[in-house]
Amino acid sequence: DGGITQSPKYLFRKEGQNVTLSCEQNLNHDAMYWYRQDPGQGLRLIYYSQIVNDFQKGDIAEGYSVSREKKESFPLTVTSAQKNPTAFYLCASSTGTSAYNEQFFGPGTRLTVL
Amino acid sequence: KNEVEQSPQNLTAQEGEFITINCSYSVGISALHWLQQHPGGGIVSLFMLSSGKKKHGRLIATINIQEKHSSLHITASHPRDSAVYICAVSQGNLIFGKGTKLSVKP
């Protein structure tokens, strides 16, 4: 089945450690996105990529890094510089970045930093 | 002021009731999306609108571009409709509302 996978579903890390969240899609989509969701807030864009080997900062990129070496994969690293990393992280993909493109979301990873 | 406002924040309904969730936005947009987030966290896209009205099963979405307002209606609500419904507007990237948490009681 085509879709987006994120692993793991729950992730625990100690403060000061970097952690990488995986996102894989087999939809042959060019564009991929990372969002952060906090209780009582709307999703906020961290990074997005329109094509392999290219990515752009979103609204809250500080403390995060990404790579896009393959079309299928868009991993997100939460670095120790991110001040409040505990959150629910969602990856999405779409055929393009037009306003009319539907985004398909992964199941999310809940990161807790202890 | 948030660019996308949803109301109500929380909604409890009895099974069978007609439900309306509202979304107002303050920016110029190309399209508006309605999304559904299940209790486990997964999000699915329900509708993408740039004008008029769309219907899918018991769900109806409308948009008034001049008034910068959209509504999502659920007819004959069912407990399985319990979820968070999210409005998002697009100028390119998506700007999300905070969501409306719907609980439908049997």
Side-chain angles (χ1 to χ4, degrees):
Chain A
D1 281 7
I4 302 178
T5 56
Q6 292 184 243
S7 61
K9 188 161 180 65
Y10 299 95
L11 190 53
F12 298 88
R13 279 295 181 270
K14 291 183 179 178
E15 194 172 342
Q17 288 181 333
N18 290 356
V19 60
T20 297
L21 283 58
S22 92
C23 176
E24 304 278 332
Q25 55 98 359
N26 61 4
L27 299 168
N28 200 32
H29 285 169
D30 286 316
M32 296 187 74
Y33 310 81
W34 273 106
Y35 295 100
R36 171 182 172 137
Q37 187 177 38
D38 294 283
Q41 294 198 39
L43 276 72
R44 292 181 290 169
L45 181 64
I46 304 172
Y47 268 98
Y48 66 101
S49 168
Q50 294 177 291
I51 199 167
V52 174
N53 292 322
D54 183 61
F55 48 82
Q56 309 295 329
K57 291 182 179 180
D59 300 319
I60 54 165
E62 185 176 350
Y64 300 98
S65 66
V66 293
S67 63
R68 186 86 187 275
E69 297 176 2
K70 297 187 299 182
K71 188 175 186 177
E72 304 80 24
S73 179
F74 191 40
L76 173 75
T77 297
V78 184
T79 75
S80 56
Q82 168 51 231
K83 294 177 183 174
N84 297 296
T86 294
F88 187 57
Y89 291 87
L90 284 152
C91 179
S93 71
S94 63
T95 54
T97 54
S98 156
Y100 305 99
N101 287 129
E102 178 184 359
Q103 291 190 19
F104 293 79
F105 288 82
T109 292
R110 191 167 299 278
L111 173 65
T112 302
V113 175
L114 306 169
Chain B
K1 185 182 187 298
N2 292 326
E3 292 167 303
V4 181
E5 297 273 5
Q6 289 185 236
S7 62
Q9 282 186 293
N10 294 282
L11 181 56
T12 300
Q14 287 298 126
E15 184 173 356
E17 285 185 359
F18 180 84
I19 288 162
T20 296
I21 298 170
N22 296 298
C23 176
S24 296
Y25 53 92
S26 57
V27 296
I29 67 169
S30 300
L32 183 143
H33 300 252
W34 281 103
L35 309 166
Q36 180 191 54
Q37 185 168 29
H38 296 289
I43 292 177
V44 295
S45 178
L46 299 175
F47 294 104
M48 190 279 292
L49 295 161
S50 54
S51 65
K53 175 180 174 178
K54 285 190 176 179
K55 184 176 188 291
H56 181 69
R58 295 179 294 106
L59 301 177
I60 303 165
T62 64
I63 188 168
N64 185 317
I65 297 291
Q66 287 73 28
E67 293 186 4
K68 296 188 175 178
H69 181 268
S70 175
S71 293
L72 176 68
H73 306 286
I74 305 175
T75 62
S77 60
H78 190 275
R80 65 174 175 266
D81 297 325
S82 298
V84 176
Y85 291 84
I86 299 171
C87 171
V89 300
S90 181
Q91 301 171 304
N93 287 330
L94 292 177
I95 305 170
F96 294 83
K98 294 181 180 180
T100 294
K101 185 174 182 180
L102 172 64
S103 178
V104 181
K105 305 294 185 187

